[in-house]
Amino acid sequence: SEQVYIGNYLLARLEQLGVKSMFGVPGDFNLGFLDLVEDHPTIDWIGNCNELNAAYAADGYARVKEQGLGVVLTTFGVGELSAINGIAGAFSEMVPVLHIAGVPSTAQQKLKPMLHHTLGDGRYDAYRKASEQFTISHAELQNSSTAAVEIDRVLTDCILHARPTYMTLPTDLVYTKISSERLKIPLSHLPPPNEPDEEEFVLSEIEKLVEEADNDVIVLVDACAIRHDVRKEVKELIQKTQFPVYSAPMGKTAVDETYERYGGIYVGSISHPEIKEKVESAKLILSIGSLKSDFNSGNFTYSIPTTRTVELHSSWTKIRYAGFPGIGMKQLLPKLTKRLHEVNAAARQIEVPKFVATVPEESDDVISHNWFWPRLSCFFKPKDVIVAETGTSSFGILDVPLPKDAVFLAQILWGSIGWTVGSTLGAALAARELGLGRTILFIGDGSLQLTVQELTSMLKKDLKPIIFLLNNSGYTIERYLHGKHRHYNDIVNWKWTSLLNVLGDVDGTKSKSYTVNNKKELSELLDNASFANAEVMQLVEVMMPMHDAPRALQVQAELSGKTNKYVA
Amino acid sequence: SEQVYIGNYLLARLEQLGVKSMFGVPGDFNLGFLDLVEDHPTIDWIGNCNELNAAYAADGYARVKEQGLGVVLTTFGVGELSAINGIAGAFSEMVPVLHIAGVPSTAQQKLKPMLHHTLGDGRYDAYRKASEQFTISHAELQNSSTAAVEIDRVLTDCILHARPTYMTLPTDLVYTKISSERLKIPLSHLPPPNEPDEEEFVLSEIEKLVEEADNDVIVLVDACAIRHDVRKEVKELIQKTQFPVYSAPMGKTAVDETYERYGGIYVGSISHPEIKEKVESAKLILSIGSLKSDFNSGNFTYSIPTTRTVELHSSWTKIRYAGFPGIGMKQLLPKLTKRLHEVNAAARQIEVPKFVATVPEESDDVISHNWFWPRLSCFFKPKDVIVAETGTSSFGILDVPLPKDAVFLAQILWGSIGWTVGSTLGAALAARELGLGRTILFIGDGSLQLTVQELTSMLKKDLKPIIFLLNNSGYTIERYLHGKHRHYNDIVNWKWTSLLNVLGDVDGTKSKSYTVNNKKELSELLDNASFANAEVMQLVEVMMPMHDAPRALQVQAELSGKTNKYVA
Ligand SMILES: Cc1ncc(C[n+]2csc(CCOP(=O)(O)OP(=O)(O)O)c2C)c(N)n1
Ligand SMILES: Cc1ncc(C[n+]2csc(CCOP(=O)(O)OP(=O)(O)O)c2C)c(N)n1
Ligand SMILES: [Mg+2]
Ligand SMILES: [Mg+2]
């Protein structure tokens, strides 16, 4: 059979899986592999400013590509450890990212000399041990006979479980030849089939409960519906059954937010009262892909008894108190839809509150959160990719309906600030590859300072995101939690509108920057067609009061304050 | 006895150890502790842009403070993992840094709810497990009865072994009261005493070898002489004995580089021929604090037989092939000096090459490395703190003698680029606290992009470093290793001279920026007294050719090329 370099075997697999952009930073242990990447006809090397940003970018890329994965390439020790928080975030939030670390040759791995980037004590396994905590599987490529199998294993684990995996690629193996035979069979995304009898039992049980509930059933979609790729199956289910559908924050856009039977965001006691009432009073809740983290559940304030809940997950099902490990939703959902579609006439009777955001009348011209988010809502278009940073942004966007086919990215569980700068880069690249709409980022002034340099990569790659930079003089979300007037929540104010010029748009042709000080200025900008159609990258500095936050954050902050003891 | 909050107990210990600046980023699990920090009369909260930079800053601070330590405070998960590469670097390079992670309350640690910043799977020990790889000890504060002992233990380990340690501080314990009794006894820096009989034996053995060598002995100082704080002891030894002294790259400035018996840098086959000859032909080499990493040893090309070597280390000694575990140099050195000081007349006969750097005459006006480093040499002043980033800078500076009492910082073993931006911040703060001279940074354009935001903290704290930014259109050091014309070694060119204005010097009063295109422009600037006396922070963009590198790097690159197989 044909022989290929191990490096090219890996790239061939990535190409099969739809990878067109690869993120990372060069270093002397990955330069050989980078030659192959640079010479690859369909995979583009992005080249990030630093490794954390690169990992974030791979994460954002994977989220928008769905069914695909993101890849980050780093160098031994210094590079891979710089990326680790990004990998841990992908683990936590269930995003398929492959982390490839270029490492010393197999000979050096055995001799363990005191190379640069080592800990100086001969431990060559420390980085892998650290990475293990944040990846579901890892492969340390050691020789030509196992390389292909190992590569296939970590790639399959990555895409099947939607979690990061880790691979070390020694300098010498990159150019070692192996058979290309295995490449003929593509890797599969499909989870293993459910056990038929058990699945049949589960279907009947759910059907029975639906009947008993008199069709007063609601569907609640959450993170894993997106991560484990059952959006189409969910759409079928809700359209055929006509059950009302709501979403948790992390499930936002799993269901089209303009869909007539969609009622908005349920987040425990933080929910709008009408939504809270509708969800919690339903006789049966069909929960799909639920993930009950603090910020995704209104600080654990779901008021839905287990006896009224059916939970569908990627690899298990729970009907009231009964668990069914091994029964995954990907295959269960279509069958469930078939069983239930007759209920639609009855289900239709149940009213769903309209999910709208009305721009309030306010007496002053200050840009308040209360006004800002509904106002932005009319700016969005179908297929836009909307990214919201942890802070006032990730809370503010929740109450606003997004258009049809919009993609929404936030890190509600992991919540590592600065993540959106990298992930916007990745998302914008993926959006361009897929022919989606604009990429629009909402980020706080504090968060942008963590990872700001990565804006340069957007300019380099001719991306045209619109960035709304919320300038509220520091860490406002934290001021709501603790330390309202503390200096540790202050930051240095930057000349934000000159930033893109410094970071690469030297002659001002590749970007535009604006400051908006009041409602009028912002409105005019939003209504300006040439702004909205984004011919170049744009940054809008939005001046907001230091002590203002969206409703949802204010409530969340009160709840958190009670669990965190900050003072004696 | 008096009762204090655990948070204040910790701060009292840090104050005793000379900590005056603390680095880190706020997060909701450390805000309570931050109140105590902000209210502390002598400890200043620096507040960094991101956690990696903060860890780097703590590292730079610790290096300049000596005998002290650096402290970095982060938040659970997202913050601590962002810092981990900085901590690993401190481990590798032996720098005492305490990493404090603010974590959920002790109650939550037991219940393990799915809080934000968790991995979503209930593992609350994953971050500690990762940190363990890069710290020599850790304490997870759990209750009031053990807190003081635990705090003292990790602090002592940190300063005694000059390695990072890790501590988790739960939100509730910060405000739990404990006895302040232990605070009355300060923590000790002193290593345990050597076993007297064994020490006596070791001293006699060394004395014998020195005699046999006919006083043809040289002293070679290295990293651990600085890290384990024996500079004074070494100075005594070389002055009393008059032995010629040389330094490895990581030992640069362990001995005053203007000292008449100092001959410059020995780095195996990369050394200047005269130095190489002198060192390798000596009958006995007294090696102090040696650390033989690739870049610190000319890619392992020391040509000094073990039979002619005595190695003194922090906690062990080696005489030719014989090891003496437990015999540390801190106490051994003064005794050795006493034994040997009679040799001085004979030792004096041995010639030491003068360590000077002459500015070469070059026919063109291009700023070459060959010219740049000797030219800079005359710019330095006693007590300057000089920081060199991995890349052409860390190699170029080696061949240049630094003035008396200069402090030199580089990361020759760990080599994580971007490190100098954070460490310059920390170093400049420490220098100000200690009344040292200017802080001067040499950094490549590629490296500055990794951590650039931290320049803002220098402005915020009114520091006045001089930054020489070597603009050579990308990753030049890598071009020498591999991929001379590859795009992955390119970077986006920034408008460097506008950077400081954007990052906080909005009205241009706190900084100055310059571009120098040729030798004349640079020379004029260096000779300008108001530039040299640095009233404000200054950034000098030095235009250099893409394909030029210092001699030492060119040789190192050739050697590395042979060990790394980059192509088929
Ligand atoms: C990596 C990381 N470091 C620290 C934190 C703690 N943190 C959470 S939100 C926040 C402040 C965000 O401020 P900003 O981006 O300005 O948002 P806003 O003012 O709109 O709330 C901080 C420091 C974090 N979540 N992640
Ligand atoms: C965190 C990290 N990422 C990547 C590398 C690999 N690396 C070593 S030097 C270098 C390029 C440095 O370029 P620059 O700062 O411009 O220095 P120059 O050699 O051009 O002066 C890179 C990418 C590293 N050492 N550390
Ligand atoms: Mg803010
Ligand atoms: Mg460069």
Side-chain angles (χ1 to χ4, degrees):
Chain A
S1 72
E2 212 195 320
Q3 297 284 104
V4 290
Y5 292 143
I6 290 177
N8 278 333
Y9 182 94
L10 174 55
L11 291 175
R13 278 301 194 206
L14 295 178
E15 185 182 358
Q16 287 177 351
L17 293 170
V19 172
K20 292 200 167 67
S21 301
M22 190 187 291
F23 304 93
V25 180
D28 55 350
F29 297 107
N30 66 30
L31 298 177
F33 181 55
L34 270 173
D35 286 357
L36 300 181
V37 177
E38 192 163 308
D39 293 340
H40 194 281
T42 64
I43 297 179
D44 189 28
W45 172 247
I46 303 307
N48 298 87
C49 289
N50 68 38
E51 288 86 358
L52 180 58
N53 296 356
Y56 285 164
D59 175 317
Y61 182 83
R63 287 181 195 235
V64 174
K65 289 286 281 231
E66 290 161 31
Q67 294 202 46
L69 76 164
V71 183
V72 55
L73 174 68
T74 62
T75 198
F76 190 48
V78 293
E80 50 183 313
L81 294 179
S82 295
I84 211 167
N85 176 52
I87 301 299
F91 183 97
S92 167
E93 296 248 336
M94 289 173 293
V95 182
V97 171
L98 172 68
H99 183 186
I100 308 170
V103 299
S105 69
T106 49
Q108 287 171 320
Q109 302 268 349
K110 277 174 199 123
L111 286 170
K112 305 191 191 347
M114 201 194 289
L115 298 180
H116 60 290
H117 306 339
T118 67
L119 295 164
D121 59 4
R123 285 183 299 136
Y124 267 62
D125 56 358
Y127 314 143
R128 193 255 303 149
K129 283 187 179 165
S131 276
E132 252 181 53
Q133 295 297 323
F134 312 111
T135 49
I136 46 154
S137 69
H138 56 89
E140 292 170 279
L141 299 193
Q142 311 257 5
N143 57 57
S144 56
S145 59
T146 55
V149 175
E150 288 288 277
I151 289 170
D152 289 357
R153 180 174 59 78
V154 288
L155 281 172
T156 305
D157 283 346
C158 183
I159 56 176
L160 201 60
H161 302 293
R163 298 268 196 184
T165 55
Y166 171 80
M167 179 193 297
T168 57
L169 185 56
T171 49
D172 57 328
L173 287 188
V174 173
Y175 287 95
T176 302
K177 287 205 163 172
I178 57 173
S179 158
S180 66
E181 196 58 28
R182 290 178 65 97
L183 290 175
K184 289 179 187 157
I185 301 166
L187 302 177
S188 167
H189 281 94
L190 282 187
N194 296 329
E195 203 281 305
D197 292 349
E198 187 175 353
E199 187 181 62
E200 180 56 36
F201 180 83
V202 162
L203 286 166
S204 313
E205 287 294 296
I206 300 177
E207 201 178 8
K208 230 184 293 170
L209 288 179
V210 170
E211 263 167 43
E212 282 170 29
D214 255 344
N215 302 317
D216 181 8
V217 178
I218 67 125
V219 173
L220 183 56
V221 289
D222 204 341
C224 295
I226 299 176
R227 302 297 195 272
H228 290 282
D229 191 34
V230 293
R231 273 193 252 207
K232 255 177 56 191
E233 290 81 356
V234 170
K235 191 173 170 185
E236 277 277 305
L237 174 79
I238 56 179
Q239 284 184 339
K240 290 271 164 69
T241 60
Q242 292 289 311
F243 289 147
V245 57
Y246 298 84
S247 162
M250 290 179 79
K252 193 172 172 77
T253 68
V255 166
D256 179 357
E257 292 203 292
T258 62
Y259 172 55
E260 48 168 3
R261 306 285 297 154
Y262 176 70
I265 304 287
Y266 175 70
V267 51
S269 63
I270 295 181
S271 317
H272 275 287
E274 194 185 355
I275 296 177
K276 182 170 154 58
E277 202 276 320
K278 293 273 181 197
V279 170
E280 295 177 356
S281 71
K283 294 216 183 88
L284 188 70
I285 284 92
L286 210 56
S287 148
I288 302 180
S290 133
L291 187 157
K292 286 195 203 114
S293 77
D294 52 359
F295 289 177
N296 201 37
S297 69
N299 239 41
F300 314 114
T301 56
Y302 270 37
S303 183
I304 302 176
T306 306
T307 47
R308 285 198 262 134
T309 310
V310 170
E311 290 182 42
L312 309 190
H313 294 280
S314 60
S315 63
W316 53 289
T317 302
K318 189 173 168 198
I319 301 179
R320 302 161 134 218
Y321 286 99
F324 302 89
I327 300 295
M329 64 186 171
K330 181 87 185 168
Q331 284 134 1
L332 190 73
L333 273 167
K335 292 172 191 161
L336 192 61
T337 304
K338 256 203 198 123
R339 297 270 187 129
L340 297 182
H341 76 274
E342 308 252 308
V343 302
N344 58 17
R348 231 197 148 73
Q349 303 308 313
I350 301 190
E351 254 177 72
V352 182
K354 193 117 203 86
F355 185 38
V356 284
T358 344
V359 186
E361 289 291 335
E362 289 185 346
S363 58
D364 63 9
D365 214 22
V366 172
I367 302 175
S368 64
H369 281 280
N370 203 23
W371 179 87
F372 180 75
W373 296 104
R375 179 63 188 84
L376 255 294
S377 160
C378 359
F379 177 71
F380 299 135
K381 300 184 199 172
K383 289 197 175 183
D384 279 349
V385 176
I386 295 154
V387 189
E389 183 64 85
T390 297
T392 57
S393 300
S394 60
F395 283 91
I397 194 97
L398 291 182
D399 284 342
V400 159
L402 302 182
K404 198 168 145 44
D405 296 323
V407 179
F408 174 63
L409 269 57
Q411 224 188 23
I412 289 171
L413 173 53
W414 190 242
S416 187
I417 59 170
W419 166 79
T420 57
V421 185
S423 61
T424 293
L425 168 66
L429 284 162
R432 185 161 69 188
E433 291 172 16
L434 298 174
L436 300 179
R438 305 166 301 177
T439 302
I440 302 172
L441 166 62
F442 297 92
I443 183 168
D445 47 359
S447 298
L448 186 49
Q449 294 197 346
L450 278 86
T451 47
V452 62
Q453 52 271 84
E454 215 53 45
L455 297 175
T456 201
S457 308
M458 303 177 194
L459 291 167
K460 174 171 80 174
K461 292 292 169 183
D462 290 314
L463 296 167
K464 302 170 177 60
I466 303 177
I467 300 175
F468 290 95
L469 181 276
L470 276 48
N471 187 338
N472 53 12
S473 313
Y475 303 147
T476 292
I477 184 174
E478 294 201 342
R479 297 189 203 275
Y480 274 84
L481 294 170
H482 187 73
K484 189 167 181 186
H485 298 287
R486 285 287 185 177
H487 290 304
Y488 57 67
N489 284 326
D490 296 342
I491 60 168
V492 176
N493 192 24
W494 287 359
K495 213 166 158 179
W496 296 105
T497 49
S498 299
L499 194 54
L500 296 178
N501 295 127
V502 168
L503 300 188
D505 182 23
V506 177
D507 62 1
T509 54
K510 294 184 116 187
S511 71
K512 280 191 189 141
S513 296
Y514 317 80
T515 301
V516 292
N517 293 289
N518 51 49
K519 291 183 177 120
K520 188 159 163 286
E521 288 176 10
L522 177 58
S523 271
E524 279 173 10
L525 188 65
L526 295 177
D527 292 341
N528 182 327
S530 76
F531 170 76
N533 296 326
E535 291 294 322
V536 294
M537 181 166 172
Q538 298 182 104
L539 185 147
V540 185
E541 179 186 21
V542 184
M543 302 307 297
M544 297 179 100
M546 180 192 278
H547 291 120
D548 182 39
R551 183 198 62 85
L553 172 56
Q554 301 196 15
V555 187
Q556 172 67 46
E558 267 171 46
L559 294 173
S560 306
K562 286 178 197 147
T563 37
N564 275 333
K565 190 181 163 191
Y566 288 121
V567 284
Chain B
S1 71
E2 211 196 320
Q3 297 284 104
V4 291
Y5 292 141
I6 290 177
N8 278 333
Y9 181 95
L10 174 55
L11 291 175
R13 278 300 193 206
L14 295 177
E15 185 181 0
Q16 287 177 351
L17 293 170
V19 172
K20 291 199 168 66
S21 300
M22 189 187 291
F23 304 92
V25 180
D28 54 351
F29 297 107
N30 65 29
L31 299 177
F33 181 56
L34 270 173
D35 285 358
L36 301 181
V37 177
E38 191 163 309
D39 293 341
H40 194 280
T42 66
I43 296 179
D44 189 27
W45 172 246
I46 303 306
N48 297 87
C49 290
N50 68 38
E51 289 86 358
L52 180 59
N53 297 356
Y56 286 163
D59 175 318
Y61 182 83
R63 288 181 195 235
V64 174
K65 290 286 281 232
E66 290 162 32
Q67 295 203 44
L69 77 163
V71 183
V72 55
L73 174 67
T74 62
T75 198
F76 190 49
V78 293
E80 50 182 313
L81 294 178
S82 295
I84 211 165
N85 176 51
I87 301 299
F91 183 97
S92 166
E93 297 248 336
M94 289 173 292
V95 181
V97 171
L98 172 68
H99 183 185
I100 308 170
V103 300
S105 69
T106 49
Q108 285 171 320
Q109 302 267 350
K110 276 174 201 125
L111 285 170
K112 306 190 192 345
M114 201 194 288
L115 298 181
H116 61 291
H117 306 338
T118 67
L119 295 164
D121 59 5
R123 285 184 299 136
Y124 267 63
D125 57 358
Y127 313 143
R128 192 255 305 146
K129 284 187 179 166
S131 276
E132 252 182 53
Q133 295 297 324
F134 312 112
T135 49
I136 48 154
S137 69
H138 55 90
E140 291 169 280
L141 298 193
Q142 311 257 4
N143 56 57
S144 56
S145 59
T146 55
V149 176
E150 288 288 279
I151 289 171
D152 289 358
R153 180 175 59 78
V154 288
L155 281 172
T156 305
D157 283 346
C158 183
I159 57 177
L160 201 62
H161 302 293
R163 298 267 195 183
T165 55
Y166 170 82
M167 179 194 297
T168 57
L169 185 56
T171 50
D172 55 330
L173 286 188
V174 173
Y175 287 95
T176 301
K177 287 205 163 171
I178 57 173
S179 159
S180 66
E181 196 58 29
R182 290 177 65 98
L183 289 175
K184 290 179 186 155
I185 302 166
L187 301 177
S188 168
H189 282 93
L190 282 186
N194 296 328
E195 203 282 306
D197 293 347
E198 186 176 353
E199 187 181 61
E200 180 57 38
F201 179 84
V202 162
L203 286 166
S204 313
E205 287 293 297
I206 300 177
E207 202 179 6
K208 232 185 290 167
L209 287 179
V210 169
E211 263 165 44
E212 282 169 30
D214 256 345
N215 303 317
D216 181 8
V217 178
I218 66 123
V219 173
L220 182 57
V221 290
D222 203 342
C224 295
I226 299 176
R227 301 298 195 271
H228 290 282
D229 192 34
V230 293
R231 275 194 251 206
K232 256 177 56 190
E233 290 81 356
V234 169
K235 192 173 170 185
E236 278 277 306
L237 174 79
I238 57 178
Q239 283 185 339
K240 291 271 163 66
T241 61
Q242 292 289 311
F243 290 147
V245 57
Y246 297 84
S247 163
M250 290 178 79
K252 192 172 171 77
T253 68
V255 166
D256 179 356
E257 292 204 293
T258 62
Y259 173 55
E260 48 168 3
R261 305 287 295 154
Y262 176 69
I265 304 288
Y266 175 70
V267 52
S269 62
I270 296 181
S271 316
H272 275 286
E274 195 185 356
I275 296 178
K276 181 170 155 59
E277 201 276 320
K278 292 271 182 197
V279 171
E280 294 177 355
S281 70
K283 294 217 185 86
L284 188 70
I285 284 90
L286 211 58
S287 148
I288 302 180
S290 133
L291 187 156
K292 286 195 202 113
S293 76
D294 52 358
F295 289 178
N296 201 37
S297 69
N299 237 41
F300 313 114
T301 57
Y302 269 39
S303 181
I304 302 175
T306 306
T307 47
R308 285 197 262 134
T309 311
V310 171
E311 290 183 40
L312 310 189
H313 294 278
S314 61
S315 65
W316 53 288
T317 302
K318 188 173 168 197
I319 301 179
R320 301 162 132 216
Y321 285 99
F324 302 89
I327 301 295
M329 63 187 173
K330 183 86 185 168
Q331 284 134 1
L332 191 73
L333 273 166
K335 294 172 190 160
L336 193 60
T337 303
K338 258 205 197 119
R339 298 269 188 129
L340 296 182
H341 76 274
E342 309 252 307
V343 303
N344 58 18
R348 230 195 149 73
Q349 304 307 313
I350 301 191
E351 255 178 70
V352 182
K354 193 115 202 89
F355 184 39
V356 284
T358 344
V359 186
E361 289 291 336
E362 288 186 347
S363 58
D364 63 8
D365 214 22
V366 172
I367 303 175
S368 64
H369 281 279
N370 203 22
W371 179 88
F372 180 76
W373 296 103
R375 180 64 189 85
L376 256 293
S377 163
C378 358
F379 177 72
F380 300 135
K381 299 182 199 174
K383 289 197 177 182
D384 278 350
V385 176
I386 295 154
V387 190
E389 182 64 85
T390 297
T392 58
S393 300
S394 61
F395 283 90
I397 195 97
L398 291 182
D399 284 343
V400 159
L402 303 182
K404 199 168 145 44
D405 296 324
V407 179
F408 174 63
L409 270 56
Q411 224 187 24
I412 289 170
L413 172 54
W414 190 242
S416 188
I417 59 170
W419 167 79
T420 57
V421 186
S423 62
T424 293
L425 168 67
L429 285 162
R432 184 162 69 187
E433 291 172 17
L434 299 174
L436 300 179
R438 306 167 300 178
T439 302
I440 302 173
L441 166 62
F442 297 92
I443 183 168
D445 48 358
S447 298
L448 186 48
Q449 294 197 346
L450 277 87
T451 48
V452 61
Q453 52 272 84
E454 215 54 46
L455 297 174
T456 200
S457 307
M458 303 177 193
L459 291 167
K460 174 171 78 174
K461 292 292 168 184
D462 290 315
L463 297 167
K464 302 168 176 63
I466 302 179
I467 299 175
F468 291 94
L469 180 276
L470 277 48
N471 186 337
N472 54 11
S473 313
Y475 303 148
T476 292
I477 184 175
E478 294 202 342
R479 297 190 203 276
Y480 274 83
L481 295 171
H482 187 74
K484 190 168 181 185
H485 298 287
R486 284 289 186 175
H487 289 304
Y488 57 69
N489 284 326
D490 297 341
I491 61 168
V492 176
N493 192 25
W494 287 359
K495 213 165 159 181
W496 296 103
T497 49
S498 299
L499 194 53
L500 297 178
N501 295 127
V502 169
L503 300 189
D505 181 22
V506 178
D507 63 0
T509 55
K510 295 185 116 189
S511 72
K512 281 191 188 138
S513 296
Y514 317 80
T515 300
V516 291
N517 292 289
N518 52 48
K519 291 183 174 118
K520 187 158 165 286
E521 288 176 10
L522 177 57
S523 272
E524 281 173 10
L525 187 65
L526 295 177
D527 292 341
N528 181 329
S530 76
F531 171 76
N533 295 325
E535 291 294 324
V536 294
M537 180 167 172
Q538 299 181 103
L539 185 148
V540 184
E541 178 186 22
V542 184
M543 302 307 296
M544 297 180 100
M546 180 192 278
H547 290 120
D548 182 39
R551 182 196 63 84
L553 173 56
Q554 301 196 16
V555 187
Q556 172 67 46
E558 265 169 48
L559 294 173
S560 306
K562 285 179 198 148
T563 38
N564 275 331
K565 189 179 162 191
Y566 287 121
V567 283

